[in-house]
Amino acid sequence: MSKRAVILVVDDEVSNIELLSAALEDDHEICFATSGEEALELARSVLPDLILLDVLMPGMDGYAVCQQIKADALLADVPVIFTTALGEQEAEVKGLELGAVDYVAKPISPVIVRARVRNHIEMKRMRDQLAELAVTDALTGLGNRRRLEQALQQEAGRLARSTADLSIIMLDIDFFKQFNDTYGHIAGDRCIIMVAATLNRAVRRAADLAARYGGEEFACVLPNTSHEEAMAIAHNIRDRVLALSIPHEGSTAAPYVTVSVGVATATCAPGIDPVSWIKAADDQLYQAKARGRNNVEGRVFLEAEMRNTWSEAA
């Protein structure tokens, strides 16, 4: 059974909210806001699948709300349908130019609003499916590098508002070139798939992301995760890969396939480029390799260090 879409209804008249909710609640989850400011805060919290937005509201009107929604990377892809009693063509054109996908005229016709919402929800689901394919690694089914960068950007920005910790894990399959030379590329692909599956099982929370960074290198984004927790996950990944007991005659670290792991944790703050976490974790991965591989290295980075890390990376 498919998940019910979440509709955010924004209107300063409670009677309009009740009418729209009655028309849509059988098929969708409904949340509502009675002002533009409340709508933006709620939208960032629940990430709705569609927003029904009144044009004429006191304070911040619907046009201003739509403009801010489309300027927010987190919300830009959410379709907005304006609800308005305005019948002027100029008003409709203005809304469409700001990024709205449709208009519903007041007084509301339940049949029409249901049909239009259904059509736009279906189109959004199709776009989401295509977007998911674009950020999925074909070999492993994990997120690809683009998905990793998107998640890192999103989480670093979100956590900066509450100055929470973000941890990143980078790991590399040890002596993978020698593995391919010894066993062939088909076996190499199979090894990557097995390591990816192990990584996916070790990173369990819904907010966490496991991704294939490129080649034999993988990464994990761990929001709201302390350094101690991230190190425990990293050691678990290392142990799980070793327990696969994939023979590796070309390795000097162990007779089986192993991984080297780097962990970086820092408190998020405005102005720190998310790339800093990748650079910091990659430096720790380098240390793990330098100390014999099949090893985990990591540390906590201060805010000033993260800013310097980005300056060096740039």
Side-chain angles (χ1 to χ4, degrees), residues 35 60 87 122 154 168 172 184 250 264 292-293 306 311:
S35 70
M60 182 182 289
E122 184 58 32
Q154 178 178 323
I168 299 294
D172 209 27
R293 305 188 189 237
M306 295 301 283
S311 299

Side-chain angles (χ1 to χ4, degrees), residues 243-300:
L244 293 172
S245 300
I246 304 171
H248 190 352
E249 294 178 1
S251 173
T252 59
Y256 303 106
V257 166
T258 59
V259 291
S260 296
V261 189
V263 182
T265 303
T267 300
C268 295
I272 300 178
D273 195 289
V275 174
S276 300
W277 272 269
I278 294 291
K279 178 66 167 59
D282 205 44
D283 286 346
Q284 294 304 298
L285 172 58
Y286 178 83
Q287 295 295 327
K289 290 180 177 180
R291 290 174 180 162
R293 305 188 189 237
N294 188 26
N295 195 12
V296 177
E297 294 292 334
R299 73 179 182 89
V300 177

Side-chain angles (χ1 to χ4, degrees), residues 197-243:
T198 300
L199 185 62
N200 206 30
R201 287 192 293 270
V203 179
R204 299 176 182 176
R205 299 184 312 170
D208 298 340
L209 173 73
R212 186 182 180 194
Y213 193 65
E216 69 275 19
E217 193 168 14
F218 299 85
C220 305
V221 179
L222 307 173
N224 280 309
T225 302
S226 70
H227 189 63
E228 291 75 15
E229 292 169 329
M231 288 294 287
I233 292 170
H235 280 285
N236 185 29
I237 291 168
R238 187 198 73 92
D239 294 344
R240 282 173 177 260
V241 171
L242 186 59

Side-chain angles (χ1 to χ4, degrees), residues 88-239:
E88 299 176 1
Q89 187 177 21
E90 292 81 3
E92 184 173 345
V93 169
K94 181 178 180 180
L96 295 174
E97 287 178 343
L98 288 172
V101 296
D102 209 345
Y103 260 85
V104 173
K106 295 178 181 178
I108 298 297
S109 166
V111 174
I112 290 176
V113 76
R114 278 196 295 268
R116 293 193 175 183
V117 165
R118 181 177 63 249
N119 290 342
H120 286 296
I121 287 292
E122 184 58 32
M123 284 190 284
K124 181 179 185 297
R125 282 178 173 161
M126 292 173 65
R127 290 196 302 269
D128 288 348
Q129 288 172 359
L130 290 173
E132 187 64 26
L133 287 174
V135 294
T136 300
D137 178 63
L139 180 63
T140 64
L142 297 180
N144 60 17
R145 182 167 180 164
R146 182 180 175 189
R147 175 72 183 94
L148 174 75
E149 291 169 350
Q150 287 177 351
L152 189 54
Q153 185 85 31
Q154 178 178 323
E155 293 299 340
R158 180 179 68 86
L159 296 173
R161 293 195 287 268
S162 57
T163 59
D165 284 345
L166 174 64
S167 293
I168 299 294
I169 295 175
M170 299 286 289
L171 63 137
D172 209 27
I173 300 176
D174 295 324
F175 302 108
F176 189 69
K177 182 182 183 301
Q178 290 87 331
F179 185 93
N180 272 337
D181 291 344
T182 303
Y183 302 101
H185 290 283
I186 293 176
D189 284 351
R190 192 181 306 119
C191 175
I192 286 174
I193 290 169
M194 292 175 71
V195 170
T198 300
L199 185 62
N200 206 30
R201 287 192 293 270
V203 179
R204 299 176 182 176
R205 299 184 312 170
D208 298 340
L209 173 73
R212 186 182 180 194
Y213 193 65
E216 69 275 19
E217 193 168 14
F218 299 85
C220 305
V221 179
L222 307 173
N224 280 309
T225 302
S226 70
H227 189 63
E228 291 75 15
E229 292 169 329
M231 288 294 287
I233 292 170
H235 280 285
N236 185 29
I237 291 168
R238 187 198 73 92
D239 294 344

Side-chain angles (χ1 to χ4, degrees), residues 54-94:
D54 185 25
V55 172
L56 299 178
M57 295 187 294
M60 182 182 289
D61 67 14
Y63 295 134
V65 174
C66 184
Q67 198 165 20
Q68 290 206 27
I69 287 170
K70 296 305 170 183
D72 190 323
L74 197 61
L75 301 173
D77 292 334
V78 178
V80 174
I81 298 177
F82 276 123
T83 61
T84 180
L86 296 175
E88 299 176 1
Q89 187 177 21
E90 292 81 3
E92 184 173 345
V93 169
K94 181 178 180 180

